[in-house]
Amino acid sequence: MNELGRLEDLPQDYRDDLTKLNLVPLWPSLRALLPPGVPARATQATHWPYATLKPLLLKAGELTPIEKAERRVLVLANPGHGLENMKASPAIYLGMQLLLPGEWAPSHRHTPNAVRMIVEGEGAYTTVDGEKCPMSRGDLILTPTGLWHEHGHDGTNPVVWLDVLDLPLVYYMEASYHINGVRQTVKQGSGDRAWTRAGVVPTQVFSRSDKRYPMLRYPWVDARAALVAMAENEPDLDCVQVTYVNPETGEDAENILGFYALMLKPGQTLTLPARSPSQVFHLIEGGVDVSTCGKTFALVEADTCCAPGYEPVTLTNRSADQPAFAFIADESPLHRKLGVYETR
Ligand code: GTQ
């Protein structure tokens, strides 16, 4: 590939004339914008151990009352993007949120899509679009774009969950904003009770639900049972994984980020091929080594890590006799919709 001209090769008066007119020469930056073969990535493979994060989150509970925080969150920020930019990857925001017994995080709605993966504690709930969603370890609760949501806690111990939002992308699009609301009236019924089993869906006389987001809560007991059944049903299956989908359409549960649960059999090593989207791993059960970009993270329960796109990731269940279960979030729906998704 031939060398392209540098900015310094141009006379200063010419550069000044360009700058005054808001003009920029392309060729000095062309290779940085369109590097050969593989994109430039700021995302660094990063591990956030829960054991080191949790005491600081509990300390935030002492230092900052909920009224002064609205959402009491420590953001899992990727150093490669600059901590102040609060991104785990180009499109993924991660935050660990703490809610103490009796606390209330008031109702609002916003343009970015969110999900919560419950990490620890019982008794808290999120009310989304009038549906009260109880929170238990491993449950996935959707807060899709534009839906009212608020968090409450009737239990006796701190509750912690992982927030996964497409905030960095929506912010970059200059489309991120919120609206505060009033306490929601809780409606009867819940999507996870109505859409109980794969293969059958609720039908009113002859019409199906027209809700864009029919299911807001995906209980961990159901996702786990599906994985265990898959592994038993097909003992040679390598990738024992489920995708969280909209049960009416079969599409990804949300528009921009994808969500999955993966089971690793005892002693199993699974290599995920290099694909364009970045991804995040959160360990629900067991002990898993995650290797990517020349690093290995020894994940224990409640740990979270991320990997940039275009890199293979190898997962190893460290236990010889117990399965391991991970929650995965990635940017696949975004890449697919934009036509840039690829596997190497
Ligand atoms: O719980 O609504 O981590 O609005 C960031 C923004 C959580 C929330 C976050 C939010 C929320």
Side-chain angles (χ1 to χ4, degrees), residues 35-325:
V38 63
R41 284 141 303 152
T43 306
Q44 291 173 9
T46 307
H47 179 198
W48 294 273
Y50 189 60
T52 51
L53 181 166
K54 184 181 170 181
L56 295 170
L57 189 56
L58 291 175
K59 187 81 184 165
E62 294 167 24
L63 294 171
T64 307
I66 192 72
E67 298 75 27
K68 291 279 175 205
E70 245 171 71
R71 301 298 193 259
R72 193 191 290 107
V73 174
L74 292 181
V75 178
L76 282 53
N78 195 302
H81 286 282
L83 297 184
E84 67 286 1
N85 290 312
M86 297 195 271
K87 309 176 182 192
S89 78
I92 304 177
Y93 157 103
L94 297 176
M96 279 287 178
Q97 183 160 171
L98 170 70
L99 199 64
L100 296 171
E103 287 186 335
W104 183 253
S107 186
H108 72 182
R109 61 189 173 98
H110 41 68
T111 44
N113 297 274
V115 300
R116 337 258 156 225
M117 164 52 49
I118 316 311
V119 176
E120 190 176 354
E122 294 289 330
Y125 56 89
T126 296
T127 304
V128 185
D129 195 26
E131 181 177 325
K132 189 170 176 177
C133 301
M135 294 173 153
S136 275
R137 171 88 188 121
D139 290 352
L140 184 74
I141 298 173
L142 306 189
T143 310
T145 178
L147 297 194
W148 294 111
H149 56 283
E150 60 202 270
H151 316 302
H153 191 350
D154 296 335
T156 51
N157 290 108
V159 167
V160 177
W161 63 83
L162 179 68
D163 291 313
V164 186
L165 281 79
D166 48 29
L167 180 60
L169 178 75
V170 179
Y171 184 80
Y172 168 80
M173 290 161 64
E174 301 185 347
S176 174
Y177 71 95
H178 88 281
I179 295 173
N180 285 330
V182 295
R183 205 173 179 120
Q184 297 171 73
T185 308
V186 173
K187 292 183 269 193
Q188 178 66 29
S190 71
D192 62 284
R193 305 250 319 142
W195 280 262
T196 310
R197 293 278 185 272
V200 289
V201 295
T203 308
Q204 295 298 313
V205 191
F206 294 113
S207 79
R208 299 263 295 276
S209 170
D210 55 4
K211 284 185 179 166
R212 171 64 186 86
Y213 300 100
M215 198 155 153
L216 295 169
R217 173 170 180 260
Y218 296 75
W220 175 238
V221 283
D222 295 335
R224 191 185 190 285
L227 291 167
V228 170
M230 278 170 68
E232 284 171 4
N233 182 54
E234 206 179 330
D236 293 338
L237 190 63
D238 258 347
C239 187
V240 185
Q241 183 172 225
V242 292
T243 302
Y244 291 93
V245 298
N246 176 327
E248 284 291 341
T249 64
E251 304 270 305
D252 288 286
E254 288 186 349
N255 280 326
I256 296 177
L257 301 181
F259 307 103
Y260 318 85
L262 175 75
M263 172 177 154
L264 293 170
K265 290 176 268 193
Q268 186 185 356
T269 292
L270 178 70
T271 295
L272 308 173
R275 295 174 312 133
S276 53
S278 305
Q279 49 194 333
V280 166
F281 301 88
H282 174 80
L283 197 60
I284 297 179
E285 219 181 292
V288 170
D289 287 346
V290 179
S291 300
T292 189
C293 309
K295 298 181 193 171
T296 296
F297 304 133
L299 263 58
V300 299
E301 281 177 18
D303 279 9
T304 306
C305 72
C306 73
Y310 292 88
E311 301 286 345
V313 178
T314 297
L315 306 165
T316 301
N317 180 355
R318 291 194 298 272
S319 169
D321 48 24
Q322 296 297 321
F325 296 90

Side-chain angles (χ1 to χ4, degrees), residues 1-57:
M1 198 182 312
N2 59 327
E3 285 289 312
L4 299 180
R6 299 167 306 167
L7 198 56
E8 307 82 78
D9 299 338
L10 297 169
Q12 189 60 50
D13 60 338
Y14 176 73
R15 289 162 62 183
D16 293 344
D17 286 347
L18 291 178
T19 303
K20 270 184 235 133
L21 293 170
N22 299 319
L23 295 168
V24 180
L26 172 62
W27 57 97
S29 307
L30 185 59
R31 294 284 185 256
L33 288 173
L34 293 165
V38 63
R41 284 141 303 152
T43 306
Q44 291 173 9
T46 307
H47 179 198
W48 294 273
Y50 189 60
T52 51
L53 181 166
K54 184 181 170 181
L56 295 170
L57 189 56

